[in-house]
Amino acid sequence: MTMPATVINEDNAATSTVHGIFKVVLYGSSESSDMAGWTVTLKLNADAYGSDNVRDSNTPCKSVDGDPFTDDESVVSTGTNSFTFTCDGHLAATSVVVATTSYKDLAEIVVAGHVWSKYPCPAGKSSPTGTFSLVGVSESCQECAKGSYQDLAGQKFCRPSKYVLQTATDKEFSTYSDASSFSYTMAPSGTIHDVVVYNINFDDYSSTATSSSGTESAATGSCASTLAGYQDANCVKKIENAQVKLTADSVENPYNIEGTNDGTSRRDQTYTVKLSSELAGVTSVAFSQSFILAELLVYSAPTSTLTDKYNDEKGATAPKTCGASGFANAQFTACEMCPVGQEKKDEDGNIHCSNCEAGKYRAADFDGGCRDCEAGSISEATSGSCNKCEIGKKENGQRTDCTECEAGKVAKTEGSTECTACSAEGPLYYANSGNTACETCDEGKVPNVDQSGCKECPAGQYRDSEVTDCTDCPSPKYSTSAASPTCSVCEEGKKPNDDRTDCVECPVGHYRTTAETVCTQCKDDREYAAAGSPSCTQCQVGHVPNSDKSGCDPCPVGMYRGADDMKCLVCPAGENTEGKTGQEQCVKCPQGKETKTINGEEGLECVDCAVGFFSAVEGTATCVECVSPKVALTTGQSECVLCEPGMGWTSSSTCETCPAGKRSKDGLCVDCTFNEITKLEKQTECTRCEKHYHSIEGQSSCLKCDDPEPEKTMKDSTNELQWQKCVADLGPACEKQTVDGVYGTFVDIPFMRAGNEEVRECQFDPDPKPMATFKCEIVDEKTDSAKLVAHYDCIKTPNTGEIEKLASEGEITPEKTEEIANSLKDLTSTAGASSGIGDVEAAADVIGVIADAPNDVSEAATENLVSAVNSLAGGNLETEDMAKKEEISKKMVNNLKKIAQKTAVTNKLVKSANIAIMKVKPDTSEGAENKGYSFVLPDPKDLNKLDQSGGGGGSETQQPSIAIQSSSAAGMSVVLLTGDAFFPSEKTGKLPAGEPDSVTTELFADLEDDLGLDNGTETVKYVNSVVLEIDIGEQEPGFVLNLYIKPNFQVGDTSKNLKRIDDKRVQIRYQCAWYNDEKFEWVADGCDTIYDSNQPTGGVVCSCTHNTSFAVLMAAEEIDPGYIEVQSMLSRILLAGSIVGLIATIGLILPASAIVTTRSAKVNICFSIALLIASLLFFIQDFLIKDDNSGIIKLKSTGCIVYTMLQHYMWLVVFMWTIIEGFLMYLSLVQVFGSHISHYMIKFNALAYGVPIVFPLAGYFAFTRKVTVAGVEVVDHQYMAETMCFLKPGTINFYALFFGPLVLSIMVNLVFFFLVLKVIRSSKNSNLSDKEQLLRQLKAAVGVMVLLGTGWVIGVFMNVPAPGMQVSLQYVFIIVNASQGMFVFLFYVVLNDAVKNFWLEKFGLKTAAPKSGTGASTATNVYANASASGANKDAEHTYSSAAEFPAKRDDNANL
């Protein structure tokens, strides 16, 4: 258990008695007593004084292991028997506290010390005596000043801070010896300020101490048994009269040790020797007297002028040391720093500033020594900072220099300590010139060995971004120069040389393409390759490679090589190479030749057939001998021919001359038949015996018919044909004969006189059989001759039955379709011109069966069907059964359309001479409806020459003949036919053949003779173009089909197509029409016809709103009635009078200055000038423009356009002036008040001439348009008439731009007319009789009507349907309006008193009447107000107020 602490002198503590405690010894009860675990603590009360310890604190004493000066001190006791605690001799205590955990072994506690009467000055302070006292004389201790210190208590001075303690002894008591033998060497020597010597008593030793009186032994603790005995002379050897000897500069300097000592330290004997002045250069310290030395303290400073010791505060107990680079100032109160780049050095106490070595630095603000530069930085000596090594260099390891990087290495950043090898970054990296970065070698280069640069890849090698080393160029590549980033590819036909530095040609027979890497030998037996070939070239057909395959040799004559043949082959029999080598194929020997082997060769050649032999077919191997009646009179014949006319066959190679009485027929000499003779040999025709002569067969002369009744007298004695001729010569009759026709052979049609007929049954038609009628008809009334004419109601021909069988062939498969189509072609082509309408019907049924089959019709089948129909179209399709023909034709056309729709051939023509078809695929591309299709047809009679030129422009060399464009982009089928064979119509005629002029003449003759123009019957039309059958299928609303068709016969311009027949003008024109297969006629309704009559060779545009069969017809139209000539003459006469009247009016009014200044006169003059110009233009038109286009101005020319627009414009100007006249009358006679108009003439002229200009311009540009069909343009002149330079009558532009303004002006003027007429009727003059007044009013009304042009109203009613009414109104219109100029002269001049009086006075025929005012006389002026006179009337006939306008009265009757 823990024992309570033992407190010694606890009471003293309370009285503040202070003891200086030296040591505390604990004794055990026996030698084995456990002394462990004890502690001793000194306590100093708060109000007590002590030395080093702090008031009111506990300070532990330390254990001692036998030597109080060792450092192994502990505050806890250990061991056995006894334990000593040593307390600082300068520590004061008011009480001592001894504590432990157990007191069982403690025998005795000894405390050594004494009571202080004076107190030593504590460390850091000093006083003259080193002490201070609380009683008696009071001395105080002063703090050491700055720059000084005192580390010991009880001292009389403070030493400068630069002097520091040097402990001269080693604190080991056993080494202490007699002071006289002690010597302390200063190392190094220094300056001494003071020396402190400690003497020790014997109690401090555990062994015998030596004194001056000899060895002395003392029992432990015997000297300290009492306080008084502590300093007994027997315990301590005191120092008396001793000196300290200081050796400086080899001179010993003694200093006395003061003998008085109060024993205030822990060692009672303490002596301080303070030198009167510091002693420099002291090298050793010794003593002059022997004593026991406990401790020697030497306070010295180095001999250098600098020190790093200082004190910057008062009361210092030890000097401070400046920092590593600091030294004290002269007063030792502060530190100063060494300069930048220097550091403080202390060499055995010698303080100085030393330069920093290279590789080190010290900054100005751093209180420390020189520091090493950081790695990668360097400095020179005396540096205040370090610099990093620049990029490209590294620090040398001593931080004193930067060195260049080794080859192939770089320092990429500043301050590098090592250089990095570029090889670490990759095989292509090298160090650049400054060793600042690793860079990659350019393509074509690689790093050198030490990677300090790049070397070029040699020629033949390359390096690109994909490889890291120079690489041989792979075949077929090469590089001609060093440093190549890539290899170039040898051009085709070449390969690299062994070094890969250039290209060489592939050897003969080898090739290389871009796909091959090496030259490859040609493998195909047909191929060769010259040196440097990019490919093996196949020998052109007809050639084979030579032996080394460097080129080709031609196949020999008579041999060939085709594209698929591997060698030259002998021509097949019947073929040759025409004596040429190198042929791709053999050609058939021409007709008249056969083949034989060439002498000494393998090939074949063609040779002529021998006389009497022929080869009709190309490619005949062996010629065939001719058979009767044909011969081959010379070698090389392609056919056996009949003997020349007049000769006959005798053998395959010879002919004879036909003698008289014979003629040549079908290659033989045959007898002339009855009634025919040949008087000479070598005749081709027998001559019919002249009238009233006859003969038997084979005669060279004729016999005379002597009997007047030959039928009676000759019938029994001569052949019936002989007497029948003699009878026919007496009157029109037809001899017995056999008729060969389309519908069979009708044998022995009997003799009959004119007007009789023979009816026979048709031979091939089923029952009830139709009939064929043979009529003997007079063909020439002048010669009284007749001819047997056949009229067939027959339908079927001998060939019809075979065709009909094809329609019942069973199921129609694609293969069957082609078989049937081919058979139909063969049957129809054999019949040829002998085909009839029955064949058409049968063929139509066959085509219908094929068209109704589910499969498409192949191209081959389509071609055969077209060929078949072509043959039928060229046959004789005439029949009297028109209804049957119409039905059959309709069927054929409909089935043809079906074939065109079902054919597998699209966008391609399938054609023959008479028919062509094309199926057009739907086009859904943008603008497809505007593309269309066009065709070139050089010969309209042969569709084999039809060529599709595509949409939009025709061929490059020829204008299209046909163009088709639909508003729909849907597909279509097109059938084209050369004529109207399948479009029967009783209203169309057959177009005459011949040159254009002769055809035109014949047409006009037919019109004049046969077309009944006088009785109003419809004229015959002619189909004048290819017929187009077009089917577009379902049509959208607004559907329009535009066709461009070039007519077969060009009608030419009006010089050719316009003619006067009797009193009528007739013109041949084109007309678009479609075939109505219900009425079986061509109809123009639904199609607009557009063509430029000024372009005779141009085509016609047909714009139709449906799709069916289309054609351009040619027809004659009456364009002028018979009375038109009379009307024209009447118009010219009256217009001539009007022109003279207008010129006279203008010429007589203008000089009359008094009249011409009035508003009415000015307007009248302007109106007259406009009317004069319009009348002149209309009058001279007949002289400038001719309807046959022979005039100065040509129809539809630019001059004609200008003339039309000018006439149009001037008549509208006239209409405007009539409106202005009416308006002026209204102002002057009706409104009167406020009728003044400023600048009226400028406004009137602007209105009259400005407004009409719009109409002709709009008319021309709006109604003259270009119509485009599939790129083909046709100008549509809707603005101008066909036969004159004026607006085209009956058109929209005529009614809108001429007739409309006319009607408008008439309506306006009629209003003015009735308003003015009302004023006229209400005006009366009391001086005139009723009759005179009526006449005057009538004159005024007629004058107003003429001036207002109201006579034009008659023209509005000229379209009254009744012809008689039309003609009557036309005459009235001409009389009234053509004579308008004469009426103007009558009313403006003749009946105008002012004008008459002016000229009478001018010529002195009348005296001038006195004037009042300035106005002109109004006696007969229809505009003037008769009641206005004097001041109330001015020159403008206006009134400013109602007061100035007189009321109506009798003197107004002059109106």
Side-chain angles (χ1 to χ4, degrees):
M1 54 181 283
T2 301
M3 299 295 292
T6 299
V7 180
I8 302 172
N9 201 27
E10 188 172 359
D11 294 336
N12 293 339
T15 59
S16 299
T17 301
V18 179
H19 297 270
I21 305 302
F22 175 65
K23 65 181 177 180
V24 177
V25 182
L26 303 180
Y27 293 99
S29 57
S30 64
E31 291 183 359
S32 60
S33 295
D34 184 7
M35 302 304 298
W38 292 84
T39 60
V40 174
T41 304
L42 303 181
K43 182 178 180 182
L44 181 66
N45 289 347
D47 56 351
Y49 290 91
S51 56
D52 292 339
N53 51 334
V54 183
R55 297 179 183 185
D56 198 18
S57 64
N58 294 325
T59 303
C61 289
K62 298 178 182 179
S63 63
V64 177
D65 57 359
D67 185 352
F69 298 102
T70 62
D71 292 329
D72 53 350
E73 299 171 323
S74 174
V75 296
V76 181
S77 62
T78 58
T80 58
N81 186 27
S82 65
F83 192 85
T84 300
F85 289 93
T86 300
C87 302
D88 191 339
H90 290 217
L91 291 180
T94 54
S95 60
V96 177
V97 180
V98 179
T100 185
T101 57
S102 174
Y103 294 96
K104 61 182 180 177
D105 289 329
L106 181 62
E108 182 180 4
I109 299 174
V110 177
V111 179
H114 68 96
V115 178
W116 285 346
S117 59
K118 290 184 180 180
Y119 299 94
C121 288
K125 294 182 180 182
S126 68
S127 69
T129 61
T131 62
F132 74 96
S133 175
L134 297 178
V135 295
V137 178
S138 176
E139 293 184 81
S140 62
C141 298
Q142 302 297 321
E143 287 183 326
C144 293
K146 292 180 179 181
S148 63
Y149 75 98
Q150 182 52 260
D151 59 338
L152 301 175
Q155 297 300 312
K156 302 175 182 178
F157 59 88
C158 291
R159 68 181 64 84
S161 296
K162 72 173 184 176
Y163 296 103
V164 295
L165 171 65
Q166 292 191 29
T167 302
T169 55
D170 58 6
K171 297 184 179 181
E172 294 294 333
F173 295 148
S174 60
T175 63
Y176 295 169
S177 61
D178 193 347
S180 62
S181 63
F182 175 83
S183 177
Y184 170 66
T185 302
M186 298 282 288
S189 62
T191 301
I192 294 179
H193 179 271
D194 64 281
V195 176
V196 178
V197 178
Y198 289 96
N199 184 218
I200 191 167
N201 61 28
F202 293 108
D203 290 338
D204 287 329
Y205 294 91
S206 59
S207 61
T208 301
T210 302
S211 68
S212 57
S213 58
T215 302
E216 181 178 353
S217 179
T220 300
S222 62
C223 288
S225 58
T226 63
L227 288 175
Y230 187 72
Q231 290 182 334
D232 187 86
N234 294 324
C235 291
V236 177
K237 180 69 174 178
K238 293 185 177 181
I239 298 174
E240 295 178 359
N241 301 318
Q243 291 181 327
V244 175
K245 296 184 290 184
L246 301 179
T247 301
D249 296 329
S250 302
V251 177
E252 189 176 88
N253 298 288
Y255 292 91
N256 294 325
I257 299 175
E258 295 180 1
T260 59
N261 191 293
D262 294 333
T264 58
S265 68
R266 62 180 177 84
R267 300 172 178 87
D268 292 331
Q269 303 301 323
T270 303
Y271 307 91
T272 299
V273 180
K274 179 181 180 301
L275 278 60
S276 59
S277 62
E278 61 184 18
L279 179 62
V282 177
T283 59
S284 63
V285 180
F287 297 98
S288 62
Q289 181 178 328
S290 177
F291 60 90
I292 298 303
L293 178 65
E295 186 174 356
L296 173 63
L297 303 180
V298 179
Y299 291 90
S300 65
T303 57
S304 64
T305 57
L306 296 180
T307 180
D308 60 354
K309 305 300 182 182
Y310 76 102
N311 288 108
D312 56 354
E313 294 177 340
K314 294 180 179 180
T317 60
K320 295 181 178 180
T321 302
C322 291
S325 290
F327 58 91
N329 58 13
Q331 293 76 34
F332 316 116
T333 58
C335 291
E336 295 180 357
M337 301 284 284
C338 285
V340 173
Q342 294 183 346
E343 65 177 345
K344 182 181 68 177
K345 286 287 187 178
D346 185 355
E347 297 175 351
D348 295 330
N350 183 16
I351 302 298
H352 64 277
C353 289
S354 175
N355 290 338
C356 293
E357 300 173 357
K360 297 186 177 183
Y361 76 101
R362 191 187 69 78
D365 56 351
F366 177 66
D367 187 11
C370 294
R371 294 182 290 179
D372 290 334
C373 291
E374 64 181 4
S377 297
I378 64 171
S379 68
E380 297 177 351
T382 323
S383 294
S385 61
C386 298
N387 297 318
K388 290 184 177 180
C389 287
E390 61 188 6
I391 57 175
K393 295 183 178 182
K394 67 173 181 176
E395 182 251 307
N396 60 3
Q398 289 77 39
R399 297 176 175 82
T400 59
D401 193 12
C402 296
T403 59
E404 298 286 346
C405 289
E406 301 89 338
K409 295 185 178 182
V410 295
K412 297 181 181 179
T413 59
E414 294 180 339
S416 295
T417 59
E418 295 292 337
C419 292
T420 305
C422 288
S423 59
E425 296 192 23
L428 293 178
Y429 285 87
Y430 72 96
N432 61 10
S433 59
N435 298 96
T436 58
C438 293
E439 297 179 357
T440 56
C441 290
D442 293 337
E443 293 184 0
K445 298 180 180 180
V446 294
N448 53 22
V449 175
D450 60 7
Q451 290 188 296
S452 61
C454 295
K455 63 179 181 180
E456 296 178 339
C457 293
Q461 293 187 334
Y462 79 101
R463 191 193 68 75
D464 60 14
S465 59
E466 301 297 324
V467 297
T468 59
D469 202 357
C470 293
T471 306
D472 288 339
C473 292
S475 183
K477 296 184 178 181
Y478 72 100
S479 63
T480 58
S481 59
S484 294
T486 59
C487 295
S488 302
V489 179
C490 287
E491 62 185 65
E492 292 181 321
K494 294 185 177 182
K495 65 176 183 176
N497 60 14
D498 293 339
D499 295 332
R500 300 288 197 273
T501 58
D502 200 358
C503 294
V504 294
E505 293 181 336
C506 289
V508 169
H510 291 71
Y511 74 98
R512 192 187 68 77
T513 66
T514 54
E516 278 85 20
T517 59
V518 295
C519 294
T520 305
Q521 185 172 11
C522 298
K523 297 181 178 61
D524 195 313
D525 290 341
R526 297 168 294 180
E527 293 181 337
Y528 74 97
S533 294
S535 62
C536 288
T537 304
Q538 193 174 93
C539 289
Q540 66 185 66
V541 289
H543 293 70
V544 291
N546 55 19
S547 58
D548 63 358
K549 288 196 172 186
S550 63
C552 296
D553 291 334
C555 291
V557 174
M559 302 184 75
Y560 75 99
R561 188 187 72 78
D564 297 328
D565 299 321
M566 305 303 290
K567 63 180 181 178
C568 294
L569 302 175
V570 177
C571 290
E575 297 183 7
N576 78 123
T577 61
E578 298 178 322
K580 302 174 184 177
T581 61
Q583 297 303 297
E584 171 186 0
Q585 60 185 11
C586 298
V587 296
K588 292 180 179 180
C589 290
Q591 295 170 328
K593 293 183 181 291
E594 62 184 349
T595 53
K596 72 170 185 176
T597 303
I598 301 172
N599 291 332
E601 302 288 343
E602 294 182 72
L604 297 179
E605 64 178 347
C606 294
V607 296
D608 289 339
C609 292
V611 175
F613 289 80
F614 78 100
S615 62
V617 180
E618 293 179 347
T620 300
T622 305
C623 296
V624 180
E625 186 176 9
C626 297
V627 295
S628 178
K630 295 185 177 182
V631 295
L633 300 178
T634 59
T635 60
Q637 295 303 303
S638 62
E639 61 180 346
C640 295
V641 297
L642 298 174
C643 292
E644 68 175 280
M647 301 187 76
W649 180 90
T650 55
S651 72
S652 63
S653 60
T654 58
C655 294
E656 66 173 352
T657 300
C658 295
K662 293 181 181 285
R663 71 175 180 102
S664 60
K665 180 182 180 183
D666 297 331
L668 298 173
C669 291
V670 296
D671 290 337
C672 289
T673 187
F674 292 95
N675 303 319
E676 293 182 349
I677 62 169
T678 56
K679 295 179 179 180
L680 303 174
E681 64 179 13
K682 203 176 181 180
Q683 298 300 304
T684 60
E685 294 292 338
C686 296
T687 304
R688 188 172 177 80
C689 292
E690 62 185 49
K691 197 171 185 179
H692 305 303
Y693 284 84
H694 68 93
S695 71
I696 62 172
E697 296 175 307
Q699 297 301 305
S700 60
S701 62
C702 295
L703 302 173
K704 188 173 184 178
C705 302
D706 293 329
D707 199 301
E709 294 183 356
E711 187 174 1
K712 293 181 179 179
T713 59
M714 296 175 63
K715 191 171 185 179
D716 296 330
S717 60
T718 62
N719 183 276
E720 62 181 344
L721 295 178
Q722 291 177 274
W723 66 260
Q724 287 175 5
K725 178 182 183 305
C726 291
V727 172
D729 288 343
L730 294 174
C734 297
E735 302 167 32
K736 175 185 175 182
Q737 56 190 285
T738 296
V739 177
D740 262 337
V742 173
Y743 300 104
T745 300
F746 294 86
V747 181
D748 294 339
I749 304 300
F751 169 81
M752 66 185 76
R753 297 189 183 274
N756 293 324
E757 62 184 33
E758 171 79 4
V759 178
R760 300 275 183 96
E761 286 185 346
C762 294
Q763 300 174 6
F764 304 101
D765 288 287
D767 294 330
K769 290 183 179 294
M771 309 302 288
T773 302
F774 302 93
K775 295 181 180 181
C776 186
E777 299 177 355
I778 297 174
V779 294
D780 191 345
E781 293 182 356
K782 295 179 180 180
T783 59
D784 204 21
S785 60
K787 180 181 179 182
L788 189 67
V789 179
H791 297 273
Y792 297 104
D793 284 336
C794 306
I795 299 299
K796 294 188 178 183
T797 72
N799 203 35
T800 303
E802 294 300 319
I803 297 175
E804 287 176 336
K805 293 178 183 178
L806 298 177
S808 56
E809 291 285 341
E811 183 182 358
I812 305 298
T813 62
E815 294 78 13
K816 197 71 172 179
T817 297
E818 292 194 5
E819 180 183 338
I820 294 173
N822 189 56
S823 299
L824 180 62
K825 172 190 173 183
D826 292 341
L827 286 172
T828 54
S829 62
T830 301
S834 298
S835 299
I837 192 67
D839 298 337
V840 174
E841 181 179 26
D845 291 336
V846 174
I847 294 173
V849 169
I850 293 175
D852 293 336
N855 48 277
D856 287 342
V857 182
S858 67
E859 182 173 0
T862 304
E863 290 175 348
N864 288 332
L865 293 177
V866 167
S867 177
V869 178
N870 172 68
S871 298
L872 294 173
N876 184 356
L877 307 184
E878 296 302 322
T879 179
E880 297 297 312
D881 191 348
M882 195 65 180
K884 187 66 173 177
K885 181 178 181 180
E886 291 169 348
E887 176 189 342
I888 293 171
S889 298
K890 179 178 179 179
K891 182 191 296 184
M892 174 58 79
V893 171
N894 288 338
N895 288 341
L896 280 176
K897 287 196 295 185
K898 291 180 181 179
I899 292 298
Q901 293 165 355
K902 292 200 64 176
T903 180
V905 188
T906 58
N907 295 354
K908 177 183 176 183
L909 283 166
V910 179
K911 54 192 178 181
S912 62
N914 294 311
I915 181 174
I917 67 172
M918 185 173 80
K919 178 182 179 181
V920 179
K921 291 176 62 177
D923 189 351
T924 57
S925 62
E926 184 177 354
E929 66 277 5
N930 296 319
K931 293 178 182 177
Y933 298 85
S934 59
F935 308 89
V936 174
L937 182 59
D939 182 1
K941 296 180 181 179
D942 187 1
L943 293 180
N944 275 317
K945 300 177 181 178
L946 184 68
D947 178 41
Q948 181 183 353
S949 57
S955 68
E956 295 180 358
T957 58
Q958 193 171 359
Q959 178 79 358
S961 306
I962 302 167
I964 305 170
Q965 181 174 308
S966 167
S967 62
S968 170
M972 69 174 77
S973 61
V974 182
V975 180
L976 299 95
L977 301 103
T978 54
D980 59 347
F982 299 138
F983 303 94
S985 174
E986 295 179 352
K987 295 182 179 180
T988 56
K990 186 173 180 61
L991 190 67
E995 295 298 321
D997 289 345
S998 64
V999 172
T1000 303
T1001 302
E1002 187 175 346
L1003 287 174
F1004 278 122
D1006 291 343
L1007 288 169
E1008 187 173 0
D1009 296 339
D1010 303 328
L1011 299 184
L1013 291 175
D1014 288 333
N1015 57 22
T1017 59
E1018 186 178 356
T1019 59
V1020 174
K1021 296 179 176 63
Y1022 304 92
V1023 175
N1024 190 25
S1025 71
V1026 171
V1027 178
L1028 287 86
E1029 177 67 36
I1030 299 175
D1031 189 355
I1032 300 182
E1034 186 176 350
Q1035 302 163 18
E1036 300 176 351
F1039 171 82
V1040 176
L1041 177 65
N1042 289 325
L1043 305 172
Y1044 172 85
I1045 307 172
K1046 187 170 285 190
N1048 296 348
F1049 174 75
Q1050 303 289 337
V1051 299
D1053 60 16
T1054 53
S1055 65
K1056 298 182 181 298
N1057 62 37
L1058 188 66
K1059 187 174 183 180
R1060 190 173 298 281
I1061 298 179
D1062 296 331
D1063 59 347
K1064 304 176 181 65
R1065 283 200 307 168
V1066 177
Q1067 186 177 19
I1068 300 175
R1069 293 182 175 175
Y1070 298 131
Q1071 185 180 63
C1072 294
W1074 59 279
Y1075 187 74
N1076 187 327
D1077 59 5
E1078 300 296 330
K1079 297 181 179 180
F1080 300 102
E1081 62 182 29
W1082 291 96
V1083 181
D1085 295 341
C1087 285
D1088 292 334
T1089 304
I1090 303 169
Y1091 69 96
D1092 187 354
S1093 60
N1094 201 37
Q1095 298 292 330
T1097 60
V1100 179
V1101 172
C1102 299
S1103 184
C1104 305
T1105 56
H1106 55 86
N1107 58 315
T1108 180
S1109 304
F1110 300 95
V1112 175
L1113 305 183
M1114 186 172 64
E1117 297 182 10
E1118 178 186 337
I1119 61 172
D1120 283 335
Y1123 50 79
I1124 196 68
E1125 188 65 28
V1126 177
Q1127 292 181 351
S1128 297
M1129 182 61 68
L1130 180 61
S1131 296
R1132 284 193 286 270
I1133 294 172
L1134 293 177
L1135 273 177
S1138 290
I1139 291 169
V1140 172
L1142 291 168
I1143 293 173
T1145 300
I1146 297 167
L1148 292 173
I1149 293 179
L1150 283 178
S1153 57
I1155 300 171
V1156 78
T1157 58
T1158 64
R1159 181 167 65 181
S1160 59
K1162 292 177 181 178
V1163 173
N1164 292 340
I1165 291 298
C1166 290
F1167 168 69
S1168 299
I1169 292 172
L1171 184 58
L1172 174 62
I1173 297 172
S1175 299
L1176 278 171
L1177 289 171
F1178 197 84
F1179 182 78
I1180 64 175
Q1181 179 177 224
D1182 288 343
F1183 302 97
L1184 299 175
I1185 304 156
K1186 303 295 184 181
D1187 55 12
D1188 62 357
N1189 214 19
S1190 61
I1192 297 173
I1193 299 177
K1194 302 299 181 184
L1195 294 171
K1196 301 293 180 69
S1197 66
T1198 303
C1200 188
I1201 294 170
V1202 173
Y1203 203 90
T1204 300
M1205 296 176 71
L1206 190 58
Q1207 283 203 87
H1208 185 190
Y1209 173 67
M1210 285 312 303
W1211 282 114
L1212 294 179
V1213 171
V1214 170
F1215 299 156
M1216 287 300 302
W1217 278 116
T1218 61
I1219 294 175
I1220 293 170
E1221 289 271 15
F1223 177 66
L1224 185 60
M1225 287 184 187
Y1226 171 78
L1227 290 181
S1228 299
L1229 301 178
V1230 180
Q1231 179 174 335
V1232 180
F1233 306 113
S1235 60
H1236 175 71
I1237 301 175
S1238 61
H1239 307 295
Y1240 60 90
M1241 287 311 296
I1242 295 176
K1243 295 176 180 177
F1244 287 164
N1245 276 281
L1247 185 65
Y1249 287 96
V1251 172
I1253 194 67
V1254 177
F1255 292 87
L1257 292 174
Y1260 175 73
F1261 289 107
F1263 293 96
T1264 300
R1265 60 194 177 102
K1266 287 184 178 179
V1267 180
T1268 303
V1269 180
V1272 184
E1273 292 184 347
V1274 174
V1275 178
D1276 184 13
H1277 292 283
Q1278 286 292 318
Y1279 179 64
M1280 294 188 298
E1282 296 288 338
T1283 58
M1284 59 180 175
C1285 294
F1286 196 71
L1287 277 75
K1288 190 173 186 177
T1291 58
I1292 294 176
N1293 61 295
F1294 177 83
Y1295 288 111
L1297 303 177
F1298 184 78
F1299 191 72
L1302 169 62
V1303 172
L1304 180 62
S1305 66
I1306 290 172
M1307 292 175 63
V1308 173
N1309 282 340
L1310 283 175
V1311 174
F1312 290 145
F1313 174 72
F1314 287 116
L1315 291 174
V1316 172
L1317 188 62
K1318 184 177 179 182
V1319 174
I1320 294 173
R1321 291 187 60 191
S1322 63
S1323 300
K1324 300 206 181 273
N1325 191 329
S1326 57
N1327 297 325
L1328 300 175
S1329 65
D1330 291 341
K1331 182 178 181 181
E1332 290 174 327
Q1333 188 152 292
L1334 179 61
L1335 290 173
R1336 176 162 290 197
Q1337 289 177 346
L1338 182 60
K1339 181 186 74 170
V1342 174
V1344 170
M1345 183 184 72
V1346 172
L1347 296 176
L1348 296 181
T1350 50
W1352 284 87
V1353 74
I1354 301 170
V1356 177
F1357 300 101
M1358 286 196 303
N1359 289 326
V1360 175
M1365 179 65 73
Q1366 286 184 358
V1367 175
S1368 300
L1369 288 175
Q1370 288 171 10
Y1371 279 107
V1372 173
F1373 177 80
I1374 291 170
I1375 293 170
V1376 172
N1377 291 290
S1379 59
Q1380 188 174 7
M1382 292 185 285
F1383 282 111
V1384 169
F1385 175 74
L1386 177 64
F1387 288 102
Y1388 282 11
V1389 178
V1390 177
L1391 299 180
N1392 192 324
D1393 293 338
V1395 177
K1396 286 191 298 182
N1397 291 336
F1398 173 80
W1399 288 105
L1400 290 174
E1401 292 172 1
K1402 189 80 171 174
F1403 291 104
L1405 299 177
K1406 183 178 180 181
T1407 304
K1411 298 180 180 179
S1412 61
T1414 60
S1417 172
T1418 61
T1420 57
N1421 189 344
V1422 295
Y1423 290 155
N1425 190 324
S1427 64
S1429 61
N1432 295 327
K1433 180 182 71 174
D1434 62 17
E1436 299 300 333
H1437 307 283
T1438 60
Y1439 301 90
S1440 61
S1441 67
E1444 296 180 10
F1445 183 70
K1448 294 179 182 178
R1449 54 184 186 271
D1450 291 342
D1451 59 2
N1452 287 339
N1454 65 342
L1455 290 173

